[in-house]
Amino acid sequence: MPRLPRRISQWNLENFRRQLATVDALPQLCLLAVMSGALTGIIMIAFRELISLGALLFMPEGSGEAFEALPMAMRAALPVIAVVIIGVGLGWQKKSARRMGIVHVIERFTYHQGVMARSNWLNQWWVGVVSLLGGLSAGREGPAIHLGAGASGWIGQQLKLPHNSLRVLVGCGVAASISASFNTPVAGVIFAMEVVMMEYTLTGFMPVMLAAATGAVITQIYFGTAPAFMVPSVVEPQLIDIPWIILMALVIGIMAGGFIRLAGLGKRSDKMSWPFRLLLAGVLTGVVACFYPQVQGIGYDSVTQILAGNVALDVLLALALGKLLLTAISLACGVPIGVVGPTLVIGAAAGALFGIGATELLPTTVSDANLYVMLGMAAMMGAVLQAPLAAIMALLELTHSPDLILYGMLAVLSASLTARLAWRTQGFFITTRQGSTLHPLHEPLMQALARVGVGAVMDRSVTVTAAQIDIERARQLLASRPKWLLIHRQTDRSRADTEPGKAPLALLAADMARALDDDEESPGWKNDGTIDLLEIPGKRLELAPIDLQATLAEAYERLDDRRLDALYVRHITAPMMHRVSGIISRDAIENYYR
């Protein structure tokens, strides 16, 4: 019984945060992953039901993709109405609040340690619904990923978890979103690791896999196990198909590279006002929709019809080229839409065109056209996102056909390399976000340091003191055997309970002990029997603050920015109140990395 209170105390939130700061906190991260996957699954259900509820208001039979059944005038007007609503709803907000979707998630993950902005997350709900029901060429997965990542990050932010675990939670939300949207858990995991987190580690893999599985279970309980679109039995591929597959992949790679370049023009379109650009995207979509309504919305119904062989050649051309241009122009004009869904539809149409060509020219030797449809979807997704492994795994999970892996690899890799080399692009998310500069997480040092919180490496043997103290107080400080003394330079207060007006200094406790041994012969002794810790012999380190939630990567960057050798770690306990938790030095960070 005497041990029970100590055991219970080990499970308090403070110890939980401390454990999460380490690099191997797998049990704790897996527990959070289940929470993340469950919450993301519920968010996905709510988002899809919100779209269905909106479709009941004006769409035929309440179907969110039945644009073909609408009158021509309504098809043309819907995109214009949608961009006007988006413009009015976002126009009064600050520019940063307009950033949404996967690009925003990657930006927050890379530069803000996964801390998601609340205003952007709230905007994503209604903007996602309006863009899809408004007939813009948009995808559901981009908003879903933003909502899932934001909800998962909210768990960490509410618990004030260290940023290294917050980053894993964001990855969990991304994986669970993709898994819940397509019923493809493995593809969701690979997408999160390959596109957002950009690293493969055991600490990241296991929680992200658990979140993806949990998210899929939640949505399957509600919606069933049917995939996003029905995939018929795929004819067994043959080696004779390889030349056509390679040719198709080369063309899709050129299309994907052009898509990325065109969408990236938005960074150089500041000469046109944002409202005008929104209106331009809406009008162009409406004009094309007058003749080819299939370009509106996500287009998964069109994929189902393509696989069933019920789509005319001109419609396939409209989906392959028209939807590509409309989606890229909408992105360039600043319309916050998802990109994953449209790339799959564009790839399916392009693949169908090549499949029809192959079966017409070589009817007795090549496989069914549906083979090229599925490979085209994977090739376009892999080339646009520059995420070949995620595309191949999505192909495998959607078709349940391991025989396609070899041919899928050839198609996806050929298309990805073609887009990269022919257009010199690094992928849609990196290109549209920051041009061709190196992604910060590509640096091995920063990758390693971002996995660990400062709480795991900092020196906790710290005592806070005023600059001038008497002998009795000095001996009391040494009795607690601290390694460091954190000295306030502006106040005589002995506790760091409020924000200091000036950054403190760090002094080794051994230097003060040496000064006490020297007694009044040491510099720093005053006539009234007090000692000034700012004057005694010893090495004093200039300090800057850093929060306990920060990662070693954040600490390393702050040390470089401030040109310092150490930081004091503070734990925010209340607004404008904090306590010192420890000191982390440059040597400690470098020793950890080595």
Side-chain angles (χ1 to χ4, degrees):
M1 291 299 294
R3 293 184 178 180
L4 185 57
R6 288 196 295 271
R7 288 179 179 177
I8 293 175
S9 68
Q10 291 177 354
W11 290 96
N12 63 32
L13 187 56
E14 197 66 35
N15 285 337
F16 188 66
R17 294 186 185 118
R18 185 179 301 179
Q19 292 163 351
L20 283 169
T22 62
V23 73
D24 56 352
L26 273 178
Q28 295 82 6
L29 287 173
C30 287
L31 174 62
L32 291 171
V34 174
M35 297 170 59
S36 168
L39 180 58
T40 300
I42 294 171
I43 293 288
M44 294 303 99
I45 292 172
F47 182 62
R48 291 173 64 175
E49 286 299 312
L50 191 60
I51 295 173
S52 299
L53 183 63
L56 288 174
L57 298 177
F58 64 92
M59 295 294 286
E61 300 181 358
S63 173
E65 293 196 68
F67 295 100
E68 296 89 342
L70 291 173
M72 179 184 295
M74 192 171 181
R75 294 200 304 262
L78 273 178
V80 178
I81 295 172
V83 296
V84 169
I85 293 174
I86 292 172
V88 172
L90 297 179
W92 62 273
Q93 302 183 48
K94 56 185 179 181
K95 190 175 181 179
S96 59
R98 303 173 190 168
R99 301 186 66 82
M100 287 170 248
I102 305 174
V103 173
H104 177 69
V105 172
I106 295 174
E107 182 181 273
R108 301 299 298 188
F109 182 89
T110 305
Y111 299 109
H112 301 275
Q113 305 301 321
V115 178
M116 306 297 291
R118 182 183 300 177
S119 59
N120 301 67
W121 188 79
L122 293 174
N123 284 332
Q124 182 64 91
W125 280 95
W126 66 267
V127 170
V129 173
V130 169
S131 62
L132 289 170
L133 292 180
L136 295 171
S137 181
R140 186 177 64 200
E141 291 69 32
I145 287 171
H146 186 177
L147 295 176
S152 299
W154 175 82
I155 296 174
Q157 290 173 240
Q158 292 301 306
L159 297 177
K160 296 182 180 179
L161 301 182
H163 289 169
N164 63 312
S165 58
L166 187 59
R167 293 162 62 88
V168 176
L169 271 175
V170 170
C172 289
V174 172
S177 302
I178 291 291
S179 173
S181 296
F182 289 109
N183 279 337
T184 53
V186 179
V189 173
I190 300 301
F191 183 92
M193 306 295 285
E194 192 173 25
V195 176
V196 178
M197 303 177 76
M198 292 194 173
E199 61 176 349
Y200 296 93
T201 62
L202 179 63
T203 308
F205 245 128
M206 292 184 66
V208 170
M209 290 176 66
L210 193 55
T214 305
V217 168
I218 295 295
T219 52
Q220 286 182 14
I221 291 174
Y222 190 86
F223 292 113
T225 59
F229 32 79
M230 300 307 297
V231 179
S233 299
V234 180
V235 177
E236 292 291 332
Q238 307 174 52
L239 293 178
I240 193 65
D241 290 303
I242 290 179
W244 272 103
I245 291 173
I246 297 296
L247 179 61
M248 177 192 71
L250 295 177
V251 174
I252 287 179
I254 293 173
M255 292 171 60
F259 174 88
I260 296 170
R261 286 291 188 183
L262 183 56
L265 292 178
K267 296 187 299 179
R268 298 189 292 273
S269 61
D270 293 336
K271 294 180 180 179
M272 293 188 294
S273 65
W274 185 61
F276 178 79
R277 286 184 284 149
L278 287 182
L279 192 59
L280 176 64
V283 170
L284 288 177
T285 304
V287 170
V288 177
C290 288
F291 306 99
Y292 295 102
Q294 292 84 357
V295 301
Q296 294 185 286
I298 307 174
Y300 288 162
D301 58 336
S302 297
V303 174
T304 301
Q305 293 178 12
I306 290 172
L307 290 169
N310 297 328
V311 180
L313 283 176
D314 61 326
V315 176
L316 289 176
L317 284 170
L319 287 171
L321 298 179
K323 194 171 183 68
L324 183 148
L325 293 173
L326 288 176
T327 307
I329 290 172
S330 297
L331 291 165
C333 289
V335 185
I337 57 175
V339 70
V340 177
T343 60
L344 293 175
V345 179
I346 296 165
L353 290 170
F354 272 90
I356 293 172
T359 54
E360 289 293 328
L361 292 176
L362 302 170
T364 59
T365 54
V366 300
S367 302
D368 189 88
N370 281 336
L371 169 67
Y372 296 88
V373 173
M374 299 306 301
L375 295 182
M377 294 170 65
M380 180 60 76
M381 176 183 172
V384 169
L385 308 185
Q386 287 295 301
L389 189 55
I392 293 169
M393 291 310 303
L395 172 69
L396 179 60
E397 288 188 286
L398 287 172
T399 62
H400 303 288
S401 176
D403 294 334
L404 284 181
I405 292 181
L406 170 63
Y407 302 88
M409 291 173 63
L410 290 174
V412 171
L413 294 178
S414 299
S416 299
L417 285 173
T418 301
R420 198 175 185 92
L421 295 177
W423 292 93
R424 297 184 180 180
T425 179
Q426 298 184 50
F428 172 78
F429 298 121
I430 293 180
T431 301
T432 55
R433 183 172 53 84
Q434 59 179 20
S436 58
T437 58
L438 182 66
H439 193 294
L441 294 184
H442 284 163
E443 302 173 18
L445 171 63
M446 302 311 290
Q447 274 190 339
L449 297 184
R451 300 183 195 125
V452 184
V454 294
V457 179
M458 70 181 183
D459 194 332
R460 299 177 183 272
S461 182
V462 179
T463 296
V464 181
T465 180
Q468 295 186 9
I469 56 175
D470 55 32
I471 295 178
E472 182 180 356
R473 175 59 181 164
R475 297 194 185 283
Q476 289 176 353
L477 292 176
L478 291 177
S480 61
R481 299 183 179 276
K483 179 179 179 181
W484 293 98
L485 299 176
L486 193 143
I487 307 167
H488 285 302
R489 293 187 284 181
Q490 192 178 33
T491 175
D492 289 335
R493 299 177 63 170
S494 60
R495 291 177 59 84
D497 289 332
T498 61
E499 285 291 330
K502 194 173 183 180
L505 296 173
L507 174 72
L508 286 171
D511 291 332
M512 185 178 75
R514 191 178 303 110
L516 290 179
D517 290 340
D518 292 342
D519 204 22
E520 297 182 2
E521 298 179 2
S522 175
W525 281 92
K526 304 298 182 182
N527 295 332
D528 58 359
T530 61
I531 183 172
D532 191 337
L533 298 181
L534 298 179
E535 297 182 9
I536 65 173
K539 182 179 180 181
R540 279 165 283 271
L541 299 178
E542 294 278 351
L543 298 177
I546 193 165
D547 291 336
L548 182 60
Q549 292 177 272
T551 64
L552 292 187
E554 293 176 272
Y556 190 82
E557 289 178 346
R558 176 157 297 190
L559 287 171
D560 278 352
D561 291 342
R562 301 287 184 90
R563 298 182 180 180
L564 298 175
D565 291 320
L567 304 168
Y568 71 93
V569 182
R570 61 184 183 181
H571 181 197
I572 305 297
T573 56
M576 301 301 292
M577 302 284 288
H578 77 270
R579 60 181 173 84
V580 175
S581 298
I583 287 178
I584 186 164
S585 65
R586 185 184 297 272
D587 289 340
I589 296 175
E590 291 177 351
N591 288 338
Y592 166 80
Y593 180 70
R594 295 194 189 102

